[in-house]
Amino acid sequence: MTFLALNAVSKNFGPNTVVRDFDLAMHNGEFISLLGPSGCGKTTVLRMVAGFETPSAGQIEIEGQDVTGMRPNQRRIGMMFQSYALFPNLTVAGNVAFGLKVAGLPKAEVAARVQEMLDMVGLSGLGGRYPFQLSGGQQQRVALARAIAPRPRVLLLDEPLSALDAKIRVSLRTEIRAIQRQLGITTLFVTHDQEEAMTMSDRVVVMSGGRADQVGRPEEIYNRPATRFVAEFIGALNLLPGTLRDPTAGMVETATGPVALARPVERPAGAAVTLAIRPEMLRLLAPDEATSGHAFHGHLLAREFLGPIIRLRAQLQNGPVFSVDCFNRDGGAIPEIGQIIRLALHPEEMVLLEE
Amino acid sequence: MMVARKTGRRIGPALITLAAALYFFVPLYAAFQFSLQMRRGEWSLDAYRSVLASDVFLNAFLFSITASGAAILCGVLLVVPTAYWVRLKLPRLRPVVEFISLLPLIIPSVVLVFGQIRLFGSNSWLPLTTTDLGTNLLLIAGYVVLSLPYMFRAVDNGMAMIDIATLTEAAETLGASRLRTIVTVIFPNIRAAIVSGAFLTFSICLGEFVIASLLNRQAFGPYMVQLGQDRAYEPAALAILSFGLTWLLMALMQAAAQRKPGQGWLPFRNKAPRP
Amino acid sequence: MVATTDLPMNSTAPRKGRARLRLAWLGVVPFLAFALLFLLAPLFYLVIGAFQTPEGGFTLANMAGLAAPNIAASFWLSIRLSLASAAIGTVTGLLLAHALILGGMPGWMRRGLTAFSGVASNFAGVPLAFAFIATLGRLGLVTVLFKGLGFDLYATGFSLFSFWGLALTYLYFQMPLMLLVITPALEGLKPEWREAAESLGASGPQYWRMVGGPVLAPSVMGCFLLLFANAFGTLATVIALTGSNFSVVPILLFQQIRGNVLYNPNLGYALALGMILIMVVSNLLYIALRARAERWQK
């Protein structure tokens, strides 16, 4: 059952089309992230759901009700902003109570709900403080409490973690997700941070140029990117251009030699294709080790120590430079710079990107 | 963005803006039209001719220009080194200097000049008002006091923007003497602020009435009041001229404040490429 | 090396530093001397004089003299005129600023009126009075225009040279000043607050009552006091409009200095002190309110 639906929604600002033909169907209680670089239209989608922008075309439904032209204060949504947007003249409790008072709830009920919300976000004792007396993380917790206090149908999060310190960002995202699960509230989350999108979401929508490039579970997005943009935007990636020699056998001719995909490809022979390989999928082979998969030959250019991971830069024979990630515990086995190396890869871990 | 949705709501703001614009425009237009009516039955610039040809006007105007110029010079010499020194060496004194500088905003000029006249009057310890020169000096001092808030704020803001402490340290590590630092590093960077303060001072002092009148100076302000009592059309012409002059001064001030390093003083002769 | 230089350094450095600091004070002597001579001493002289007899003895008679009917009436007139002018200026300036900043007026209009306000707020004094005489004087453009439409403005009791005429003239620099000083506060109202309120179900009026209004209130009050002080000290415009017939306090003091009336310098000192006190009180209120406004802006 679709709870929130965007049907062929477009938005123009003057001559600029910011969102084009955007479709999305959310289930009740689902957490979906809109992920993309700045200017991809993700915030505009969120603001159209909130009612701050009106779609130029298309339709938005919540619980089967068409809300496209409805004013924001009629939609029963909750929203969190990057800048917290707490009312500076109201105390923490006053901020959380705002939506409840506007809705005309009796005083006792307001007080009880405010207390419940502050307990939930872990700010029980701070109801009497003013926003300027709180840290950024605390302010955003108040904003969360304020947004969910009136029991909205949909929770909209506009980069709520971007202004926070790295540590608080991680702890707060866990907390937001936990509260969202506990309340079962349908949530749309806008971010440019792929780690946030991957860790928090049921599904991720990767956007570019006002369109949804791919909609899928985080694993799908990462392991099976549908477009070159998705593949390049998420995670690090090695690209190897080539020509399709044999579609049925999946044979691709590249500068560093033939590569067998070991699966049929639905493209004509002679088509230009690009192979995409994640750095962590490549494995450094010991000098005499045999492999059942494909083996790239080259020599080591550089090594960077990143803590848990050591990132190698390998010059492939007659080919491009690849990044290779090894675990720190393999550190002892890593050859010296300039030494000849071999990199092993299972054919199914190669993604074929179409031009 | 919010507004595009609510086109209907723009009528209110548009009406308010229109009413305000009308209120601002009508007196200027009325003065302008009135100033053209000196000759019966036809439009003419006689009122302007009559004003500009008068020796009394010229003398009063020149006197006020000289007094304002002197006030600007004294004000700059007083404020710039003080503001620099306080920022660099005596930050604890800043609130005191700032308070003193803003005091003339609170004290009406009539009160100020009253105190000065009594303090420097004929039988005081420093009888400035007994000689012409002394009275002129007192007038300039009064103008410096009057413009102190504006000059100090302009210069201090200018210094805040360039972080003079770091610039001074940078110049000193490169071997520059204190004087050289001030002349070649600090001054060029706050020149725009000084110029903007100077124009503001000029626009305040040029038509100033109270101090000049109470010190019996034949300045532009008292001249205008006298003219207003004696004539009908010339005052309107003066109002238009004054407004034009104020506008010009404010425009120059804006231009000075927004001028970027390397940019020419005239908008159409820019040397620096725009970003 | 370090050990040998350590001791002497420790013993001389503070002394040298203190000497430096004492020398550093010399840098502000010209400024302080000027301020003392031409700003602080004259004020001090007036304040002392307000409590002295002409012979130099202490007295409260001068201050008590402020209660004399004509002087008290002057103060009351000044205060009423300044309150009225400040109130009208505050309301109209706020409306204009709201229309320009939040009402979605085109940018050129906003820039134009802001630039004009910079000029108009400095266009006080004598020329302003002339412009208004040409507008609303007995032969002014608007007066004549209204007469042509069958509406005699002066028959209604209105006069440019009366209380409301002055208030209307003051508005020409009060409204622009309000626009200039309230603009930062209005721009400080974050659009997100409005959006947050709307997403929580609040209507426009509810937002203004619960958030926008309370956030703006200290700034508006502060600006009101600034306008009040501005009007209270206005003298040149009044003289150019009414000669010396409209006895607000600055006019009274002006005539007192000229020796036209009263002719008791010590009562003049008291008059000056009265003005200073009113300005000080209104400015203290302004500072207190501004501090409150800034607390929220953090």
Side-chain angles (χ1 to χ4, degrees):
Chain A
M1 164 70 199
T2 301
F3 188 83
L4 169 69
L6 288 90
N7 301 324
V9 169
S10 295
K11 177 70 187 176
N12 310 316
F13 289 119
N16 302 329
T17 303
V18 184
V19 175
R20 52 187 94 206
D21 263 343
F22 189 88
D23 288 301
L24 184 65
M26 290 181 79
H27 309 300
N28 198 356
E30 197 175 17
F31 190 115
I32 289 190
S33 293
L34 301 178
L35 174 67
S38 59
C40 72
K42 56 190 191 300
T43 297
T44 308
V45 169
L46 191 83
R47 291 175 60 83
M48 285 192 286
V49 176
F52 300 136
E53 312 287 353
T54 313
S56 308
Q59 184 215 26
I60 300 171
E61 282 179 11
I62 300 177
E63 287 185 300
Q65 177 195 22
D66 184 349
V67 300
T68 314
M70 193 185 262
R71 293 184 44 75
N73 57 1
Q74 308 294 320
R75 293 192 181 197
R76 290 178 47 222
I77 43 158
M79 184 142 172
M80 278 172 84
F81 299 82
Q82 183 175 352
S83 60
Y84 323 137
L86 294 183
F87 305 132
N89 59 317
L90 300 177
T91 59
V92 167
N95 266 281
V96 178
F98 186 93
L100 307 169
K101 281 187 182 158
V102 166
L105 260 63
K107 253 189 182 163
E109 203 173 321
V110 170
R113 185 87 68 86
V114 167
Q115 196 50 54
E116 181 193 336
M117 289 300 138
L118 288 181
D119 290 345
M120 189 180 279
V121 298
L123 295 176
S124 306
L126 302 183
R129 297 251 188 116
Y130 281 92
F132 78 98
Q133 295 168 310
L134 303 180
S135 71
Q138 288 172 322
Q139 289 194 47
Q140 203 55 298
R141 277 163 212 263
V142 177
L144 174 64
R146 179 179 71 176
I148 58 178
R151 310 239 158 99
R153 299 189 286 187
V154 179
L155 184 60
L156 303 173
L157 311 177
D158 187 5
E159 307 222 12
L161 304 171
S162 301
L164 300 172
D165 295 340
K167 274 213 167 128
I168 296 173
R169 200 150 60 204
V170 172
S171 66
L172 194 55
R173 80 182 180 208
T174 316
E175 227 169 305
I176 290 178
R177 178 62 162 148
I179 290 172
Q180 183 267 338
R181 270 183 212 263
Q182 182 188 339
L183 299 176
I185 182 168
T186 311
T187 302
L188 198 53
F189 176 75
V190 161
T191 181
H192 62 266
D193 183 325
Q194 44 168 307
E195 193 180 308
E196 277 173 16
M198 294 286 175
T199 49
M200 293 173 82
S201 317
D202 294 317
R203 283 192 293 160
V204 177
V205 180
V206 183
M207 291 185 68
S208 73
R211 284 180 214 277
D213 269 45
Q214 187 172 7
V215 184
R217 289 181 294 108
E219 304 89 306
E220 285 170 1
I221 300 273
Y222 188 83
N223 292 333
R224 294 274 161 252
T227 67
R228 190 183 177 122
F229 172 81
V230 176
E232 285 184 297
F233 186 71
I234 294 172
L237 199 64
N238 297 306
L239 295 175
L240 185 59
T243 314
L244 190 58
R245 280 276 165 260
D246 183 350
T248 20
M251 278 297 294
V252 177
E253 187 64 44
T254 73
T256 187
V259 178
L261 289 178
R263 59 177 185 266
V265 178
E266 288 173 15
R267 297 287 304 276
V273 291
T274 302
L275 300 174
I277 299 149
R278 299 275 180 210
E280 71 274 16
M281 295 300 181
L282 292 161
R283 196 165 57 83
L284 199 60
L285 287 174
D288 305 322
E289 196 180 342
T291 173
S292 58
H294 185 79
F296 291 106
H297 296 259
H299 65 273
L300 191 59
L301 279 183
R303 38 193 286 181
E304 288 168 12
F305 183 68
L306 304 178
I309 279 171
I310 298 173
R311 176 157 295 175
L312 308 181
R313 308 278 294 158
Q315 174 69 60
L316 297 194
Q317 223 164 41
N318 304 320
V321 176
F322 266 22
S323 292
V324 184
D325 287 352
C326 307
F327 285 114
N328 185 24
R329 61 151 196 258
D330 303 333
I334 288 171
E336 293 304 311
I337 287 170
Q339 270 188 278
I340 302 293
I341 52 172
R342 287 184 304 145
L343 302 167
L345 179 71
H346 282 291
E348 60 266 29
E349 278 156 359
M350 268 183 275
V351 175
L352 188 89
L353 298 175
E354 301 185 359
E355 292 304 309
Chain B
M1 270 191 251
M2 294 260 319
V3 181
R5 181 160 50 93
K6 306 166 191 159
T7 352
R9 290 202 179 176
R10 289 173 74 165
I11 294 170
L15 281 179
I16 290 169
T17 311
L18 191 73
L22 207 65
Y23 171 77
F24 287 141
F25 175 73
V26 165
L28 291 177
Y29 176 74
F32 181 62
Q33 202 198 57
F34 203 71
S35 73
L36 298 178
Q37 289 173 340
M38 193 166 174
R39 203 180 292 176
R40 258 179 201 285
E42 60 173 309
W43 306 114
S44 76
L45 293 174
D46 282 7
Y48 294 87
R49 233 170 268 140
S50 160
V51 167
L52 295 175
S54 145
D55 281 346
V56 188
F57 163 78
L58 279 181
N59 288 336
F61 195 62
L62 281 179
F63 178 84
S64 279
I65 286 183
T66 314
S68 309
I72 289 171
L73 195 67
C74 297
V76 169
L77 288 177
L78 202 61
V79 167
V80 173
T82 306
Y84 176 67
W85 201 249
V86 167
R87 270 188 176 269
L88 202 62
K89 293 281 173 187
L90 299 164
R92 268 184 310 163
L93 211 61
R94 216 176 108 76
V96 178
V97 172
E98 198 171 15
F99 175 77
I100 291 175
S101 301
L102 294 181
L103 206 55
L105 279 186
I106 308 176
I107 307 301
S109 51
V110 63
V111 171
L112 192 72
V113 73
F114 186 29
Q116 289 179 349
I117 288 175
R118 288 290 161 181
L119 192 63
F120 303 110
S122 46
N123 41 14
S124 75
W125 62 284
L126 183 61
L128 281 177
T129 58
T130 48
T131 62
D132 241 13
L133 178 69
T135 315
N136 286 343
L137 287 179
L138 198 54
L139 180 77
I140 292 167
Y143 283 0
V144 171
V145 172
L146 214 57
S147 61
L148 210 51
Y150 305 95
M151 188 61 94
F152 181 81
R153 213 153 23 166
V155 170
D156 198 52
N157 284 348
M159 286 187 180
M161 264 166 29
I162 60 166
D163 187 6
I164 54 145
T166 313
L167 272 188
T168 303
E169 283 167 9
E172 279 175 358
T173 59
L174 292 168
S177 68
R178 181 56 54 79
L179 185 68
R180 198 186 170 87
T181 304
I182 293 179
V183 173
T184 63
V185 177
I186 303 301
F187 183 75
N189 277 304
I190 58 164
R191 194 169 44 194
I194 294 174
V195 170
S196 125
F199 280 124
L200 212 53
T201 304
F202 200 66
S203 86
I204 291 165
C205 298
L206 193 61
E208 200 282 330
F209 167 74
V210 177
I211 299 180
S213 166
L214 289 175
L215 292 177
N216 286 315
R217 298 294 90 190
Q218 305 296 317
F220 190 46
Y223 163 77
M224 283 196 288
V225 169
Q226 191 56 47
L227 195 77
Q229 284 164 4
D230 300 344
R231 303 294 189 92
Y233 299 103
E234 283 90 340
L238 265 184
I240 292 300
L241 290 176
S242 297
F243 188 80
L245 194 65
T246 311
W247 189 284
L248 181 74
L249 289 172
M250 292 298 131
L252 288 173
M253 191 192 87
Q254 280 286 325
Q258 286 169 2
R259 187 178 157 271
K260 305 269 184 307
Q263 196 176 339
W265 282 98
L266 295 172
F268 44 85
R269 297 197 63 179
N270 286 341
K271 276 178 277 173
R274 297 210 161 222
Chain C
M1 189 66 190
V2 172
T4 48
T5 51
D6 235 349
L7 268 173
M9 279 291 280
N10 271 348
S11 56
T12 56
R15 205 175 302 157
K16 207 176 158 197
R18 216 170 293 150
R20 275 251 177 95
L21 195 66
R22 233 176 276 141
L23 278 177
W25 277 82
L26 287 177
V28 287
V29 164
F31 177 84
L32 291 180
F34 177 85
L36 192 68
L37 208 54
F38 293 104
L39 178 58
L40 301 177
L43 292 179
F44 197 61
Y45 191 91
L46 294 179
V47 173
I48 298 292
F51 296 100
Q52 278 181 338
T53 60
E55 291 74 38
F58 175 82
T59 179
L60 286 173
N62 300 318
M63 293 309 281
L66 293 183
N70 65 326
I71 294 178
S74 269
F75 267 100
W76 181 225
L77 179 65
S78 262
I79 290 173
R80 273 187 311 154
L81 180 60
S82 306
L83 281 178
S85 141
I88 301 172
T90 303
V91 172
T92 54
L94 189 60
L95 280 175
L96 181 60
H98 179 266
L100 289 178
I101 296 163
L102 302 175
M105 287 292 105
W108 62 267
M109 204 178 263
R110 184 181 159 184
R111 280 191 300 276
L113 273 168
T114 308
F116 180 90
S117 296
V119 177
S121 59
N122 280 298
F123 183 64
V126 187
L128 175 66
F130 293 163
F132 266 81
I133 291 172
T135 311
L136 282 167
R138 285 193 178 277
L139 294 173
L141 182 80
V142 173
T143 316
V144 172
L145 198 71
F146 278 178
K147 217 171 219 168
L149 296 171
F151 175 68
D152 189 351
L153 198 58
Y154 275 69
T156 63
F158 173 86
S159 164
L160 180 60
F161 316 107
S162 69
F163 185 90
W164 289 109
L166 283 174
L168 197 63
T169 310
Y170 283 14
L171 187 61
Y172 204 82
F173 55 82
Q174 296 279 56
M175 182 177 13
L177 182 63
M178 180 67 185
L179 174 67
L180 292 181
V181 291
I182 200 67
T183 293
L186 273 177
E187 283 175 341
L189 285 180
K190 292 189 192 155
E192 288 93 338
W193 292 339
R194 173 105 200 205
E195 289 175 0
E198 283 193 54
S199 75
L200 291 165
S203 64
Q206 276 173 322
Y207 160 75
W208 280 110
R209 187 166 52 77
M210 297 167 80
V211 181
V215 170
L216 271 189
S219 305
V220 171
M221 273 306 293
C223 293
F224 173 81
L225 290 167
L226 192 71
L227 264 58
F228 174 84
N230 198 29
F232 196 83
T234 297
L235 175 50
T237 311
V238 191
I239 287 205
L241 271 182
T242 68
S244 306
N245 296 328
F246 198 80
S247 54
V248 284
V249 183
I251 293 267
L252 210 60
L253 184 57
F254 185 79
Q255 288 182 314
Q256 156 75 15
I257 302 169
R258 275 282 169 84
N260 293 343
V261 285
L262 301 169
Y263 212 69
N264 174 1
N266 293 82
L267 182 56
Y269 299 154
L271 220 49
L273 182 59
M275 286 182 77
I276 295 174
L277 285 179
I278 287 180
M279 299 304 251
V280 165
V281 168
S282 65
N283 276 279
L284 284 179
L285 278 171
Y286 170 70
I287 290 165
L289 286 168
R290 200 185 58 177
R292 234 188 108 157
E294 276 171 2
R295 190 193 71 180
W296 280 343
Q297 274 158 22
K298 266 168 204 162

